[in-house]
């Protein structure tokens, strides 16, 4: 009796009594508690500041940290011809080239002493200045942020240094096959005249002057072009007041930027080869893509997930990697374009002799998804995945603030404010015949551009065990894409 | 999220922050260690586990097995991954018989290759007829197995259950598996992870070996510095098993057998060698109950995990490697430093921060000066379970050599030995470490990853303990470790320069092998040419023809036109 009591007690202490409950033989038999999740709504955090910008303020009193990010409508599309690299340079030096009352060196030292992270950058379609600091330094940080935004110094020594660094980077343009692949893909998809492909050269970088930077800055860095995201250890009312002050009485007016260009042209279908002496070929199969506001956008996402977007659960991964061991990473992507349609890409890397064979498998899968219905299991898994991982987009306060600011910047807050509220419902509604319809619309193989980066001779030779040949992959012709001089791009 | 945090602020300067992550540590009778962290900010759980085994536990001939094993743990269990487990096992057994015959044939071919009787037998065209026949036989069995496979079912169950970020990695010291699941699916995690630890089935073993080889080709053999870095690393470690790459040597990956993998599993994947870590939205008592129910069913290991006995032998002289690659001229210097958790590792971390970043000493002395020697620099101290590496170096500026960077970098290390670090400079660095104590708590997934790394390196407690130890570092400590470790006999130096001719190759890229010699000849003749007007006329003609030429010859014409233009410019400038 006593023995038994001790035993029960020790089992209880160890929690071993739980072992009594049987473990089901398959995971599908598990029962889960219900999880309800309602996404946060933009309007609960949105503040139209009198000073101009819209701000998303998401408080989080857990840690003594505050994060503020000012996004700006500016990007490479606004660069004057011959000044390619100006947007990037302005973005880089804005927070690193000193301000009216701070030399670059002193500002760097000061921020480092406060353990504050001040950064800035301008990309293709937007830029940002961000500040992450301890709560105690907020007022000090905001003062500096205003100087960075209104009166950056762009010290000439820092400009010279940055030019030297960029020229060093530029020399490496043809070194890594991955960067060659990306650059040449962009050229094929959008054409040399599209703004994304107007890359900097030695000449364009060298021509950039301090005046160019100042002009670019004053033209676009005005409150009307700003969107603010802030999260962290603050009271919303107080933060709002501080932001009003931050953007009040701006010393210059600024201009409204032109719309982001959409004048791209896709290369002719066919095979394009870039010669690079590596034992593995990098392969891209590219097709025209889709806009994120397209009525069939959700259908397209489920289709791509089944085809190659869903990692190990997708068809391309199953066949190229798991069945055949032909590649380490293999899959596809179909992101929805914001300002212009994005492209569809299926890609992988395989040893030179099996490039043709693996590509033929990918082409087969692109065709198959237009020919026959996807299985219920496939569509069910894809939809569940989208629906169940949905809360992850809002996992931290920083994500919430950033996501809403991006919605504002890209115009979806205005055009479709309920995008996130309706998201799961839209995914749920997709069915197998929708998937086939969108596959038929997008997977037009006669339009495919196949880009190969690798050792041409070995790739063309193929593998003794497989019949597939590169020349059979496309009706279009094979074009050699020469690597251009890394500094002049000629 | 409810973290207990206190912060001491003195005179506006951060000192001695004492925030602690509350980690519940428990054990199961079979040996599993469990770490649990409650965080309520989002309805999800980041779950992972660390097997205390990495490539350091391997031996020559089977390097890469820890990593290959990591891949195999996604291949399913008796109930996940097949429609017919009995038949599945039968086929796997038959496959092994054929593979054994293939191995014998491989050994024979390797022997003949060593004696120069046959060409490289890793290339299919050089393999013996017998081997090729066996391979065909094997492929039939693979196809037979495919009939009853349920492809990647392990992944599909998780995906359908809302799992995301599922992945794993292998390092020299550990193998870590992780995923994020919705909070209500905690039991799914328990089911899946306990199931694959209890009874993993190594299906598609040989195809996966090929996948790993492609991974090696991608990361090591097709990147500009991949092979050279691997070589430098192997030169740095003399006796310690850290010397071989985690992905494995090219000779070993295709030679690993399923029997070796079985043995590896029985040795290293026993409960006492595994730590489970869960971070997220749960009550730890409930979580632990589930852990108990699912993981208690896994039997204790049957053998003791062998210790890694071989230590790194003391270096006796400086080692240098000179390599050429498609890369800018640069230098990497490595010093042997102590292992994870060693008292000297904290001052070394402070040193790395003093030297790096935009307000660090290397930037100020080497980059942000009129006559710069570098355009990019780095300094870091990595602590591994059995030893550490302090690495420092950078990319030479235009007109400078890696040796110039070397000199400047070493001068900075000498300065640390000679002068005590000024108080304010040290405080600046410490403030940043203190703030990072907060920043590292921003996301459950990030917390999981840090705990996995710390635990895999030796002790998860470092998550909380390293911060205060860094704050306690004194200028004298820095001087002492600088003198102790930054010695010539303790360093290895790699100098990389741009492969000569790679510029020329770039120029002729896109031309066929017939065209290149023709263009070379043309360029040679061009150098004799002195008649500018004649050249200009030729240029005009060619430019006019360019449009009409077919695509194949256009590339060649463009190169020729460019060469003529260059020659004209050259003549005109004289």
């Amino acid at each position: 009796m006593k023995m038994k009591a001790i035993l029960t007690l020790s089992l209880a202490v160890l929690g071993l009594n739980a072992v009594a409950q049987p473990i089901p033989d398959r995971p599908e038999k598990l029962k889960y508690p219900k999880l309800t999740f309602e996404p946060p709504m933009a309007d609960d955090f949105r503040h139209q500041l009198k000073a101009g910008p819209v701000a998303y303020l998401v408080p989080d009193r857990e840690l003594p940290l505050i994060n503020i990010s000012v996004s700006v409508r500016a990007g490479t599309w606004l660069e004057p011809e011959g000044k390619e690299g100006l947007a990037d340079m302005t973005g880089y030096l804005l927070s690193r080239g000193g301000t009216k009352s701070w030399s670059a060196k002193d500002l760097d030292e000061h921020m480092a002493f406060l353990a504050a992270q001040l950064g800035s950058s301008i990309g293709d379609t937007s830029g940002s200045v961000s500040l992450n600091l301890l709560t105690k330094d907020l007022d000090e940080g905001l003062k500096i942020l205003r100087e960075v935004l209104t009166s950056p110094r762009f010290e000439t020594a820092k400009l010279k240094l940055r030019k030297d660094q960029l020229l060093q980077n530029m020399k490496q343009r043809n070194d890594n096959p991955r960067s060659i692949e990306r650059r040449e893909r962009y050229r094929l998809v959008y054409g040399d005249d599209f703004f994304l492909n107007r890359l900097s050269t030695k000449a364009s970088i060298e021509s950039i002057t301090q005046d160019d930077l100042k002009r670019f800055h004053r033209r676009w860095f005005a409150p009307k072009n700003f969107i603010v995201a802030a999260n962290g250890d603050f009271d919303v009312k107080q933060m709002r007041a501080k932001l009003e002050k931050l953007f009040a009485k701006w010393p210059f007016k600024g201009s409204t930027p032109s719309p982001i260009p959409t004048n791209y042209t896709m290369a002719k279908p066919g095979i394009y080869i870039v010669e690079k002496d590596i034992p593995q070929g990098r392969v891209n199969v590219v097709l025209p893509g889709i806009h994120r506001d397209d009525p069939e956008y959700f259908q397209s996402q489920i289709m791509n997930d089944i085809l190659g977007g869903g990692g190990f659960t997708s068809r391309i991964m199953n066949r190229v990697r798991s069945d055949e061991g032909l590649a380490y990473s293999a899959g596809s992507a179909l992101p929805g374009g914001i300002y212009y349609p994005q492209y569809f890409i299926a890609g992988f890397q395989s040893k030179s002799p099996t490039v043709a064979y693996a590509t033929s498998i990918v082409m087969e899968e692109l065709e198959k998804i237009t020919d026959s219905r996807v299985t219920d299991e496939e569509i069910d898994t894809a939809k569940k995945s989208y629906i169940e991982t949905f809360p992850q987009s809002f996992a931290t306060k920083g994500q919430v603030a950033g996501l809403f600011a991006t919605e504002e910047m890209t115009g979806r807050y205005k055009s479709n404010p309920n995008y996130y509220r309706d998201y799961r419902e839209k995914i749920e509604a997709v069915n197998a015949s929708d998937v086939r319809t969108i596959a038929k619309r997008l997977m037009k193989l006669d339009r495919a551009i196949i880009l190969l980066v690798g050792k041409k001779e070995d790739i063309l030779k193929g593998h003794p065990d497989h019949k597939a040949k590169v020349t059979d992959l496309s009706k279009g012709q094979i074009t050699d894409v020469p690597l251009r001089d890394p500094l002049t791009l000629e | 999220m409810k973290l207990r945090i206190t912060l001491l602020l003195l005179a506006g300067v951060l000192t001695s922050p004492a925030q602690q992550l509350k980690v519940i540590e428990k054990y199961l009778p079979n040996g599993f260690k469990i770490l649990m962290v409650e965080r309520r900010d989002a309805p999800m759980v980041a779950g992972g586990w660390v097997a205390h085994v990495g490539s350091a536990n391997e031996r020559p001939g089977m390097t890469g097995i820890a990593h290959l094993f990591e891949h195999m743990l996604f291949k399913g269990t008796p109930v996940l991954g097949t429609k017919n487990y009995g038949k599945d096992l039968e086929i796997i057994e038959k496959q092994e018989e054929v593979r054994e015959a293939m191995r014998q044939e491989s050994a024979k071919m390797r022997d003949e290759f060593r004696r120069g009787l046959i060409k490289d037998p890793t290339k299919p065209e050089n393999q013996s007829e017998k081997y090729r026949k066996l391979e065909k036989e094997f492929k039939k069995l693979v196809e037979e197995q495919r009939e009853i496979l349920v492809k990647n079912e392990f992944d599909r169950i998780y995906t359908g259950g809302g799992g995301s970020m599922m992945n794993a990695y292998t390092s020299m010291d550990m193998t870590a598996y992780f995923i994020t699941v919705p909070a209500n699916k905690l039991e799914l995690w328990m089911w899946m992870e306990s199931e694959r630890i209890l009874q993993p089935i190594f299906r598609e073993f040989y195809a996966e070996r090929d996948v790993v080889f492609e991974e090696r080709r991608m990361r090591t053999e097709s990147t500009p510095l991949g092979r050279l870095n691997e070589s430098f690393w192997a030169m740095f470690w003399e006796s310690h098993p850290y010397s071989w790459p985690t992905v494995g040597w090219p000779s070993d990956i295709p030679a690993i057998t399923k029997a070796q993998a079985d043995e590896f599993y029985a040795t290293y994947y026993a409960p006492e060698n595994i730590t489970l870590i869960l971070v997220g939205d749960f009550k730890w008592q409930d979580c632990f109950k589930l852990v108990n129910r699912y993981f208690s069913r896994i039997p204790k290991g049957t053998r003791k995990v062998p210790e890694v006995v071989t230590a790194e032998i003391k270096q006796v002289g400086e080692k240098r490697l000179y390599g050429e690659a498609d890369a800018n001229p640069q230098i990497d210097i490595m010093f042997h430093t102590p292992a994870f958790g060693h008292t000297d590792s904290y001052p070394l971390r402070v040193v790395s921060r003093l030297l790096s970043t935009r307000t660090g000493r290397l930037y100020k002395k080497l980059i942000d000066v009129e006559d710069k020697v570098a355009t990019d620099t780095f300094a870091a101290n990595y602590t591994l379970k059995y030893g550490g590496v302090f690495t420092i170096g950078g990319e030479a500026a235009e007109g400078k050599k890696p040796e110039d960077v070397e000199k400047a970098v070493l001068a900075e290390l000498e300065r640390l030995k000679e002068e005590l670090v000024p108080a304010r400079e040290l405080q600046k660095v410490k403030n940043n470490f203190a703030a990072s104590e907060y920043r590292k708590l921003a996301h459950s997934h990030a917390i999981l990853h840090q705990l996995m790394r710390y635990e895999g390196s030796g002790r998860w407690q470092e998550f909380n303990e390293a911060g205060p130890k860094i704050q306690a570092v004194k200028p004298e400590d820095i001087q002492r470790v600088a003198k102790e470790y930054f010695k010539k006999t303790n360093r290895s130096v790699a100098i990389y320069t741009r492969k000569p001719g790679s510029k020329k190759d770039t120029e002729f890229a896109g031309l066929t092998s017939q065209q290149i010699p023709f263009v070379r000849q043309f360029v040679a003749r061009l150098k004799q040419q002195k008649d500018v007007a004649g050249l200009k006329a030729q240029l005009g003609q060619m430019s006019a023809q360019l449009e009409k030429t077919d695509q194949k010859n256009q590339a060649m014409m463009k190169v020729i036109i460019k060469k003529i233009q260059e020659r004209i410019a050259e003549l005109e400038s004289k």
Side-chain angles (χ1 to χ4, degrees), chain A residues 200-471:
Chain A
S200 59
T201 60
K202 186 165 188 260
S204 78
I205 291 294
E206 280 175 349
S207 79
I208 294 172
T209 63
Q210 192 188 45
D211 274 351
D212 290 329
L213 299 170
K214 287 191 166 163
R215 217 172 301 131
F216 194 87
H217 163 257
R218 284 180 82 89
R219 191 141 179 223
W220 312 118
F221 277 73
K224 62 180 171 191
N225 294 331
F226 291 159
I227 305 224
V228 184
N231 63 283
D233 187 19
F234 56 75
D235 171 83
V236 171
K237 252 194 202 153
Q238 283 172 15
M239 180 54 89
R240 190 180 163 143
K242 285 176 199 292
L243 290 178
E244 288 288 9
K245 212 175 125 198
L246 172 67
F247 296 111
K249 295 188 200 114
W250 211 251
F252 47 89
K253 244 184 89 199
S255 313
T256 302
S258 59
I260 290 163
T262 55
N263 62 327
Y264 65 94
T265 42
M266 204 157 170
K268 273 192 222 138
I271 296 162
Y272 297 81
I273 305 184
V274 185
E275 173 70 20
K276 183 82 185 165
D277 187 11
I278 43 175
Q280 194 179 49
R282 300 186 72 91
V283 182
N284 289 181
V285 179
V286 184
L287 287 164
I290 197 163
H291 198 283
R292 73 173 185 185
D293 297 330
D294 192 287
E296 287 183 302
Y297 172 71
F298 288 94
Q299 292 85 324
S300 77
Q301 297 305 294
I302 296 296
M303 187 273 294
N304 177 63
D305 195 79
I306 294 168
L307 179 60
F312 283 94
T313 310
S314 74
R315 292 177 172 186
I316 289 175
M317 186 71 118
N318 270 336
R319 287 206 57 206
V320 175
R321 172 167 163 157
S322 311
D323 278 0
E324 306 276 350
L326 293 170
Y328 172 68
S329 78
S332 67
L334 180 57
I338 299 171
Y339 305 104
Y340 37 85
Q342 280 267 21
Y343 54 87
F344 167 85
I345 173 178
F348 63 88
Q349 307 85 36
S350 189
K351 58 185 173 298
S352 311
T354 48
V355 160
Y357 178 51
T359 312
S360 74
I361 292 175
V362 169
M363 301 298 274
E364 240 175 76
E365 288 303 326
L366 301 195
E367 193 150 1
K368 206 166 92 194
I369 203 157
T370 63
D371 280 354
S372 51
R373 278 169 77 95
V374 295
T375 66
D376 290 344
E377 193 177 41
E378 281 176 312
I379 201 160
D380 193 47
T381 303
K383 280 159 59 172
K384 273 191 185 153
S385 172
Y386 272 84
I387 290 166
E388 298 250 3
T389 57
F390 175 69
Q392 294 227 3
S393 307
F394 312 93
T396 65
K397 301 293 187 279
Q399 274 173 283
V400 172
L403 181 136
F404 288 141
T406 304
E407 290 292 287
E408 185 83 34
M409 173 68 86
T410 57
R412 195 157 59 189
Y413 171 76
K414 287 223 167 67
S415 68
N416 184 8
N418 294 324
Y419 176 78
Y420 285 104
R421 194 197 65 191
D422 301 341
Y423 180 92
R424 289 172 291 183
E425 211 175 287
K426 292 265 170 67
I427 289 285
E428 190 54 61
V430 177
N431 63 41
S433 71
D434 294 337
V435 167
R436 203 168 156 193
T437 309
I438 187 70
K440 281 192 168 191
R441 184 185 132 194
L442 293 176
M443 298 294 120
K444 291 186 172 135
L445 293 196
D446 54 340
R447 296 177 69 180
I449 288 173
I450 302 175
L451 170 66
L452 310 174
V453 180
K455 207 166 177 187
K456 184 180 171 187
E457 202 185 329
D458 295 352
I459 291 173
L460 290 182
K461 209 195 282 168
H463 191 279
D465 291 353
H466 307 293
K467 281 191 212 104
K469 286 269 171 281
V470 169
T471 39

Side-chain angles (χ1 to χ4, degrees), chain B residues 109-123:
Chain B
M109 288 192 296
R110 276 196 295 267
D111 181 56
E112 287 172 356
F113 178 58
R114 279 194 293 267
R115 292 188 289 139
L117 302 177
I118 59 167
K119 285 187 190 160
D120 182 3
T122 61
K123 294 204 167 127

Side-chain angles (χ1 to χ4, degrees), chain B residues 514-528:
Chain B
Q514 290 88 5
Q515 287 171 338
I516 290 172
F518 176 77
V519 175
R520 287 229 166 93
Q521 239 178 17
F522 179 84
V523 172
R525 265 184 284 138
L526 200 58
K527 283 202 180 122
Q528 317 295 323

Side-chain angles (χ1 to χ4, degrees), chain A residues 14 109 164 171 313 318 323, chain B residues 151-152 155 292 372 398:
Chain A
L14 290 169
E109 276 300 319
D164 290 344
K171 287 184 198 159
T313 310
N318 270 336
D323 278 0
Chain B
K151 294 296 292 187
N152 293 321
D155 186 277
N292 212 333
K372 66 178 86 56
E398 171 80 38

Side-chain angles (χ1 to χ4, degrees), chain B residues 396-415:
Chain B
E398 171 80 38
K400 300 284 178 187
K401 291 205 277 294
E403 285 84 351
D404 300 326
V405 182
E406 178 180 20
K407 226 172 111 188
V409 158
L410 293 178
E412 282 311 307
L413 295 182
E414 284 308 309
R415 210 175 118 203

